[in-house]
Amino acid sequence: MSQTLYKTPFSRAYWRDALTDFKKPRTLVFSALMVAACVALSYAKSIPIMGNIRVTWGFLARALCALVGGPVNALVFGFVEDTVSYFMNPDGGYNPFYIFTTMLGVFTYALFLYRAQVTVTRIFLAKLLTNIQNVFLQSLGAYLWYSSKGYWVLVGERAIKNAIMLPVQTVMLVALFAALLPILHRMDFLPDQAGRLRLWKKPEWSKGAQEKERTPWEE
C-alpha cells in the first residue's frame, strides 16, 4: 500500500490525507469496531498496580483507532466512544467534560502515530502527553463536577497515578503494536513503511548502507 508518510503533522497535505481517510467507509467500519472494543474492554478486569491504582484497557483500542483513522477521525471517534461507553457501562454521574478529554487524547495519539513510521519512542511520547492531559484536564473535570477536594490536590493524586502507569501502559502499547502492525498492513490499513514497529527511526544517512547490522525491531 503506497501512502505518504509525514515527519510532522504540520503540513496541508497531512490534513488533506487525514480528511480523505476519515471519509473512507473502511475507516468508519474500523472505528465502529474500536468503539465496540472499548465498550467490551470496559467490562474486562483491570490490572492492579498498587493501592487503588489500576490499569484499564480502553486506551489500547483508542490508540489503534488513532493510528488507522488519523486526527480528524479521532475527534469524531472520541466523542462517539466516550458517549457510548458511558451509556453502556455508566459509572457515576455523566460528566460531559470527559468527552473533551477523550477526544483530545485520541487526537494526540493520532498526531504521533498516523501516517508515521511507528517507533517505540513515538509510542512513549504519545502516552506521556496523554497522561499529562489526564493529570490536568481530568482533575479539572472532577473538580468542577464531583470532588470536594482542591484542584491541585487532585492534580497531585493523578500525577502520581499516571507516572506509575506510564511505563506499564507504554509496554502494553508496544506489545500490541508489535503484534498488530504487520496484520493491519496486510489488511491495507497502513502504508508499507509503517508495517512494522521499530525501536527508533533509522537515521537518514544510514538508509543506503547495505551491511548495516539490524535489530529484531528493524527487520
Side-chain angles (χ1 to χ4, degrees), residues 100-148:
F100 169 72
T101 59
T102 300
M103 292 171 64
L104 182 60
V106 184
F107 180 78
T108 301
Y109 283 129
L111 293 181
F112 279 92
L113 303 174
Y114 169 74
R115 292 292 189 99
Q117 194 172 79
V118 182
T119 64
V120 174
T121 301
R122 278 184 174 268
I123 292 173
F124 171 77
L125 291 175
K127 197 73 205 76
L128 173 64
L129 189 53
T130 56
N131 280 22
I132 291 173
Q133 292 167 1
N134 289 342
V135 169
F136 291 99
L137 296 180
Q138 289 193 0
S139 296
L140 180 59
Y143 172 71
L144 294 175
W145 265 266
Y146 310 125
S147 182
S148 59

